[in-house]
Amino acid sequence: MPHLVALQHSIGNAAVGRLVQRLDDPDALTPAMAQQLARRLKDAMDGWGTDEDAIYGVFTGRTQHQVNSIEAAYRALFGRELTTDLSDELTAAELRRLATLAPSEPAAAPTSPAADSAAPATPASTASPPAPSPAAPAPAAAEAGSSASPAPSPAPSPAPTAAAPAAGGDVAAAMPMTPALAAAAERANRAELAARRLRSAMQGWGTDEDAIFAVLTGRSAAERRAIADFYSLTYGRTLEFDLRDEMSGSELNEALRLLGQGELSSADELYQAITGAGTDEARVMRVLEGLAGDRARIRRTIADYRRKYGSLLVALNGDMSGAELTTARNHLGHIGHLTAIQEVIAGGEPDLLHQVPDFTIVSTADRLLLVARVHTETVVGDSDEGVLERIWGTADMAEVAAQNQSLYAASRDRGAEIPATLTTFGRFQNNFVQDMFEGGITAGDGIFDWTLVGDRLNVRVPIRFQPASGVTPPYATWQTQINNVWNQYAICEPGGRRIPVQFTMVNDSSASRTVRVVKNKVPGTLSPEDRANAGKFFEVMRPSTVPHEFGHFIGLPDEYQRTHGDFVEITGMDKTGPTNTSGRTEAQIADDLHTALHHDPAANRRIEVRRALTAAGLLVGGRAQQGNFAQDVMGEYNTRHGTLKDDLISQFTFEGSTQSDSGDRWLFQTVFSYASSSIMGNPGMFAPDPHQHPVEPRHLREFVSIVQQRNPTETWSMGAR
Amino acid sequence: MKKLTFRRTSDSPPAEHEMLEIDADGSFAMWRSTGRMVGRFAGVVPDIEALVHDADRALRSSPAGSDRIAMDATLERIDVDGHQAAIAADLTLDGWWGVLLKRCRALMSELCEQPKAAIEIDLDNPSAPRLVHRGTEPLVLELIQPAATVGVWRDRDQTAEYWGYADIIETVSAEHGWQLEIPVPDARPRHGDNVIVEIALDVYHDGVPLRVHVSAVAEIAAPDGGVPPNAV
């Protein structure tokens, strides 16, 4: 059998087995047919009461092969024995009647069409309760003896053969039978029974649709032809005509599908279950359970449904809800979710996405399309929000979100509970205040947007510049100055990965921070009186001015005239300064200072203070010596005499003095305060220090933290680009 | 109004600590720490009646403003008989306090015409700017190799910066006629350039050194036109 072996290789053993069986027995049930018949039996026995006619319909005119297939399918689908369930559901009389319908073995000639009642066939059963099994009385005889005791008959069901007994009709008795002729005769015999039962189901008050479906289900093309032929010959009208006359809508559709193809495809069954008054959820579930896990069948069913009826998913959504809908959709699994996504992208309702648990099954580009589609909903409900949350919530969307921040923000605006920032982008905001020595307060706030995509950290600082009339702000020059100071660094890890930090100051009319830009006192030239600050720029400024103010814009405070605590907190470092070599203790110096600050007459206090500080070594050549020594003196002063700063202010009022007292305060305060030489400090106050840079690691702490959060397994720090 | 005090304070480098005190009779005393002329100023405020009028009106209204200012901004504070208004130097106030503020700002510049003990830069020659004493009283200067920075600007860009210093270390009492040339030999600005000269030094007041920044700006005229006097 070389050809068969090849076929086994190509389509598999099971498929070859079915094919051989079909070749051997053209009326053999397909697995789908057997399952549908098994389901019809289950439906007939489920719930209150039993639909005996549907049960009879299933068994009417079946071969033993067919009955065996139904029995096996029933067992496979429901894990129960069909004979047991039938015994439980049917009365003894009903069982006896069922026995008369038991399968025939090869053919008997058709009997007279006169009999108009339901036409039982060959009884074939074990002893009561009847189980489908072979026997071979002729249909007419069986009909006549429909109440007879069932004939015992063990299970095996031989295929029709030439040697099989031909019972009943005149034709069979009159001539020797070829196998083909015997099969045709046997089929005709069964067709008669089926046709009579169909006729019975359509007569009288009402139509027994379930019985009709049961009879028509699972018939081969030859069987259907035989049934239709018998019906038209016997009753003078076509079977289809009567079906159309008796039924309508989805029921007629189901009947015609069965008449035309002998079985319902999964799509047909789903359609039948969904359409009409109410939804047969149980049937939907049964069909879907049967499909579950078989991606090829699910794909075919969805496609078949679309071709015949439209979108299966839309139909399910329309007729089911809640956990039931979720279960139904879960049966369709991956293919169902993909289909839902494709349909929504093509313009379908976003509701279809509610049951999709994981959107990583499609590309990030498709996910963005879905987000945009959900945003078009007039009302974005909880389930839509859930969709947005699941789409944005996957790890691979972090960078996509960074590149589509407005779309991400729009999802938040529509109620999606997603973080305002991710590890790939965010907005930094802080604010800080600094007490001025004179009692004023300078206040600043840092605001910037950042994105960390790939190995690049981009920092965008939005500012609403407000140029005065006739002023053209030199944005490019300012950016160059920022580049020279700030865009020289990267966030690095020991393995060698470097993430450059790129700062950009952007003129953004929607920014909350405003900076006025005014003309210089001498247009085009910087005058020393052109004092810029974080809220006012001049057309022309020192190259260090914009970088310094930019430091404020990204949240950094000043590093000059700061208290020790502020300085340590801001810079993360201490400043040692000179040691005490004065020969007096810090406490003694504090006492000297206190005496000087309260010197009488008051006009000489500034001189006395200067002398005290000079004697202590805290003023050298008139210049302040900041550091631990000065702080220790201030600590002693505060402990022994109250707050030094308050005394400096109170003892150097403007009352009664002129001109220089505020300068005194500046000098004395400088002794007891701190400044750095960085871009945020007062570089001119110090001698050049090769170890000091305009930008120190502390200034980029926030950016190191951003990179660290995104890449937590490495240890990151500031380095050169 | 009995007494008005107007102060400008900034810790932003170069630190700015300036004060103008005006009595009801119009006499004033002023200390300037930055600008074209720095030091002590004294004399009489012109049109004191108008100032007193504005101050009295301000006293009858609620003080305005805020002492919360932008980073690096200069705080200005007006005190009239103990009533105060505060504002950043580059902002304006509404009402009579605003009027008074505007007048004080203008006075701080105008009253530089009445130096008592001050210095300024004479910029006849950008390669040799001179510190010059102005006023009638001496001003003690601590000169430790005083340096001048000459910035050259054209079309909004600084095209060059030169630096030079006078090689002296001494404390001098500058009086009428005193001057000190600080050579910046490399500074050769061209016609049409703007030059700005800055000098920082300590000025003693009652024995206390106070840092001041004096500056001058000039546009370089055509070769035959010479260099104009201080343009600011």
Side-chain angles (χ1 to χ4, degrees):
Chain A
M1 300 268 287
H3 296 301
L4 189 57
V5 171
L7 203 56
Q8 282 175 311
H9 277 298
S10 63
I11 65 173
N13 284 338
V16 169
R18 287 194 296 271
L19 182 61
V20 169
Q21 187 184 14
R22 294 285 292 177
L23 290 171
D24 195 33
D25 177 5
D27 292 339
L29 295 176
T30 65
M33 286 174 171
Q35 287 173 3
Q36 285 174 24
L37 286 164
R39 286 196 202 103
R40 291 201 184 281
L41 286 169
K42 190 76 163 65
D43 287 344
M45 290 186 280
D46 269 352
W48 291 100
T50 301
D51 186 349
E52 296 85 1
D53 286 333
I55 296 174
Y56 298 151
V58 167
F59 285 109
T60 297
R62 303 291 179 185
T63 67
Q64 188 60 49
H65 264 314
Q66 292 172 336
V67 172
N68 290 347
S69 297
I70 295 167
E71 196 174 21
Y74 191 93
R75 187 182 300 117
L77 283 177
F78 308 116
R80 302 176 61 85
E81 288 301 322
L82 176 59
T83 51
T84 306
D85 284 353
L86 287 171
S87 300
D88 289 344
E89 294 290 331
L90 299 178
T91 64
E94 290 164 344
L95 286 170
R96 281 194 296 276
R97 182 165 184 195
L98 180 64
T100 68
L101 304 175
S104 66
E105 286 303 320
T111 57
S112 164
D116 201 32
S117 60
T122 51
S125 175
T126 58
S128 178
S133 64
E143 178 66 10
S146 62
S147 60
S149 299
S153 176
S157 61
T161 65
D170 296 339
V171 175
M175 54 185 292
M177 303 290 278
T178 66
L181 189 57
E186 188 269 346
R187 182 181 300 120
N189 213 18
R190 289 186 285 112
E192 177 188 346
L193 298 177
R196 289 183 188 282
R197 184 154 296 281
L198 287 169
R199 175 70 175 171
S200 172
M202 286 188 275
Q203 281 190 320
W205 288 102
T207 301
D208 188 346
E209 292 87 358
D210 287 334
I212 293 171
F213 299 152
V215 174
L216 290 176
T217 300
R219 304 292 177 179
S220 68
E223 286 177 312
R224 296 196 303 274
R225 216 166 27 246
I227 292 169
D229 287 350
F230 182 89
Y231 193 97
S232 59
L233 284 171
T234 303
Y235 303 115
R237 48 210 291 167
T238 67
L239 175 56
E240 181 175 338
F241 179 87
D242 274 357
L243 290 172
R244 289 184 182 277
D245 193 36
E246 294 289 331
M247 305 170 85
S248 64
S250 64
E251 290 171 337
L252 174 61
N253 178 288
E254 180 168 357
L256 293 178
R257 291 264 176 218
L258 290 169
L259 184 62
Q261 58 198 37
E263 62 179 311
L264 293 178
S265 69
S266 297
D268 296 331
E269 274 215 274
L270 288 167
Y271 177 76
Q272 295 308 138
I274 292 169
T275 53
T279 299
D280 185 349
E281 287 87 0
R283 190 178 181 188
V284 170
M285 291 302 181
R286 275 205 302 274
V287 176
L288 294 178
E289 282 168 15
L291 296 174
D294 188 338
R295 288 189 176 188
R297 282 188 67 206
I298 292 171
R299 188 177 287 113
R300 278 199 306 272
T301 298
I302 290 173
D304 189 26
Y305 197 100
R306 180 180 295 113
R307 184 169 47 79
K308 291 175 178 171
Y309 312 112
S311 167
L312 171 60
L313 301 181
V314 170
L316 291 173
N317 261 41
D319 277 46
M320 305 175 87
S321 62
E324 201 172 51
L325 176 59
T326 301
T327 303
R329 285 287 300 274
N330 285 344
H331 286 319
L332 294 173
H334 178 80
I335 299 299
H337 300 321
L338 270 180
T339 303
I341 289 169
Q342 287 161 356
E343 289 188 11
V344 173
I345 288 175
E349 288 300 312
D351 291 359
L352 299 183
L353 303 175
H354 293 173
Q355 283 74 36
V356 179
D358 176 10
F359 288 90
T360 59
I361 58 176
V362 293
S363 69
T364 55
D366 280 349
R367 278 177 258 173
L368 290 177
L369 291 175
L370 295 177
V371 169
R373 184 72 185 86
V374 172
H375 287 178
T376 62
E377 288 286 87
T378 307
V379 176
V380 177
D382 290 347
S383 297
D384 295 319
E385 291 166 11
V387 169
L388 295 173
E389 288 158 11
R390 292 197 294 284
I391 290 176
W392 288 119
T394 53
D396 62 343
M397 285 299 279
E399 290 203 357
V400 177
Q403 292 162 317
N404 297 272
Q405 290 181 37
S406 57
L407 194 66
Y408 186 85
S411 290
R412 278 177 52 80
D413 291 344
R414 283 163 174 75
E417 293 183 2
I418 50 181
T421 62
L422 298 175
T423 56
T424 52
F425 75 94
R427 162 161 283 204
F428 172 89
Q429 279 185 289
N430 73 349
N431 54 73
F432 43 91
V433 295
Q434 300 171 173
D435 292 337
M436 295 177 68
F437 189 70
E438 295 288 346
I441 296 171
T442 53
D445 53 358
I447 305 173
F448 61 81
D449 301 310
W450 57 269
T451 56
L452 177 54
V453 176
D455 269 358
R456 191 168 187 88
L457 177 56
N458 289 316
V459 179
R460 178 182 182 276
V461 180
I463 295 174
R464 183 154 48 102
F465 286 104
Q466 297 177 320
S469 176
V471 170
T472 303
Y475 299 124
T477 300
W478 294 344
Q479 182 60 47
T480 300
Q481 292 165 350
I482 291 168
N483 292 345
N484 292 339
V485 173
W486 290 99
N487 290 334
Q488 306 291 322
Y489 305 97
I491 312 301
C492 315
E493 53 94 15
R497 216 172 133 201
R498 313 180 85 76
I499 298 180
V501 189
Q502 181 72 25
F503 294 96
T504 309
M505 187 167 70
V506 180
N507 181 24
D508 181 345
S509 60
S510 66
S512 58
R513 181 199 301 287
T514 60
V515 174
R516 293 179 299 122
V517 187
V518 299
K519 284 183 182 295
N520 293 82
K521 189 167 186 179
V522 177
T525 303
L526 175 67
S527 300
E529 293 165 336
D530 296 335
R531 295 176 69 90
N533 60 59
K536 183 179 75 171
F537 281 9
F538 290 88
E539 278 185 293
V540 175
M541 294 181 287
R542 291 179 192 283
S544 62
T545 299
V546 170
H548 175 88
E549 303 305 340
F550 187 82
H552 292 318
F553 298 160
I554 62 173
L556 300 173
D558 281 318
E559 294 179 1
Y560 57 80
Q561 294 290 351
R562 305 313 305 254
T563 65
H564 180 236
D566 281 354
F567 188 80
V568 172
E569 184 181 332
I570 292 167
T571 67
M573 66 180 190
D574 210 339
K575 189 173 179 181
T576 307
T579 56
N580 181 4
T581 58
S582 65
R584 295 177 65 75
T585 66
E586 284 79 0
Q588 290 170 326
I589 296 169
D591 291 343
D592 296 343
L593 196 54
H594 181 259
T595 301
L597 280 166
H598 295 82
H599 182 80
D600 191 15
N604 290 336
R605 283 175 186 163
R606 63 172 61 84
I607 299 170
E608 295 301 317
V609 171
R610 181 179 183 275
R611 282 180 180 155
L613 293 175
T614 303
L618 291 173
L619 280 177
V620 176
R623 300 190 186 283
Q625 303 297 303
Q626 299 176 339
N628 293 345
F629 172 30
Q631 295 303 304
D632 290 343
V633 170
M634 186 164 68
E636 288 292 341
Y637 191 102
N638 292 344
T639 301
R640 302 162 74 88
H641 304 295
T643 305
L644 174 59
K645 181 182 173 186
D646 291 345
D647 276 359
L648 282 171
I649 293 172
S650 63
Q651 299 307 317
F652 287 89
T653 64
F654 287 93
E655 296 296 330
S657 66
T658 58
Q659 297 115 347
S660 63
D661 54 355
S662 66
D664 293 335
R665 288 189 202 169
W666 162 262
L667 178 67
F668 298 152
Q669 187 210 7
T670 301
V671 173
F672 298 105
S673 65
Y674 282 82
S676 81
S677 60
S678 78
I679 188 70
M680 301 311 297
N682 184 2
M685 181 179 168
F686 304 93
D689 181 350
H691 301 296
Q692 291 277 310
H693 302 287
V695 175
E696 293 287 332
R698 61 179 175 275
H699 300 128
L700 297 185
R701 270 194 297 235
E702 186 64 35
F703 307 98
V704 172
S705 170
I706 286 169
V707 173
Q708 187 72 61
Q709 279 190 344
R710 180 77 178 140
N711 305 277
T713 55
E714 294 93 22
T715 300
W716 298 85
S717 60
M718 171 185 154
R721 280 194 178 183
Chain B
M1 176 197 112
K2 295 176 182 171
K3 185 168 189 171
L4 180 148
T5 305
F6 176 61
R7 280 174 285 172
R8 296 164 54 89
T9 308
S10 174
D11 288 337
S12 176
E16 192 173 30
H17 294 273
E18 303 183 318
M19 186 182 70
L20 167 64
E21 290 178 319
I22 303 172
D23 290 327
D25 63 1
S27 63
F28 80 92
M30 182 170 75
W31 171 260
R32 293 292 310 263
S33 64
T34 61
R36 67 181 178 89
M37 196 183 296
V38 300
R40 295 199 300 275
F41 303 80
V44 177
V45 174
D47 199 8
I48 184 63
E49 293 79 10
L51 178 68
V52 171
H53 174 264
D54 290 346
D56 287 342
R57 289 203 172 197
L59 282 174
R60 288 197 291 274
S61 63
S62 299
S66 169
D67 60 359
R68 193 181 179 93
I69 59 177
M71 301 299 294
D72 303 310
T74 297
L75 179 69
E76 292 182 338
R77 193 190 298 276
I78 306 175
D79 184 311
V80 182
D81 299 342
H83 299 270
Q84 293 189 348
I87 191 76
D90 51 330
L91 300 181
T92 57
L93 279 175
D94 293 331
W96 288 107
W97 285 98
V99 173
L100 193 59
L101 173 69
K102 191 175 178 183
R103 188 178 287 276
C104 290
R105 284 174 175 169
L107 283 174
M108 201 158 237
S109 179
E110 293 168 12
L111 297 179
C112 285
E113 299 304 320
Q114 303 181 52
K116 184 178 180 185
I119 52 172
E120 70 173 335
I121 297 173
D122 188 319
L123 196 50
D124 282 346
N125 180 0
S127 302
R130 286 179 298 134
L131 279 174
V132 180
H133 176 270
R134 303 292 185 203
T136 56
E137 294 188 2
L139 186 65
V140 178
L141 309 175
E142 185 173 69
L143 302 173
I144 304 173
Q145 295 181 325
T149 304
V150 178
V152 179
W153 293 74
R154 177 180 285 267
D155 298 332
R156 298 182 176 183
D157 290 326
Q158 185 170 8
T159 58
E161 184 174 272
Y162 306 99
W163 180 82
Y165 66 97
D167 193 13
I168 57 171
I169 299 177
E170 62 184 16
T171 300
V172 301
S173 179
E175 299 181 14
H176 180 68
W178 178 89
Q179 58 182 295
L180 174 68
E181 182 178 291
I182 300 178
V184 187
D186 295 333
R188 297 287 179 195
R190 296 176 297 143
H191 163 61
D193 284 343
N194 279 328
V195 294
I196 172 171
V197 178
E198 296 177 81
I199 300 171
L201 70 161
D202 286 341
V203 175
Y204 277 86
H205 179 76
D206 290 342
V208 176
L210 303 172
R211 197 70 171 169
V212 296
H213 295 260
V214 59
S215 57
V217 178
E219 181 179 355
I220 305 301
D224 56 352
V227 177
N230 295 349
V232 176

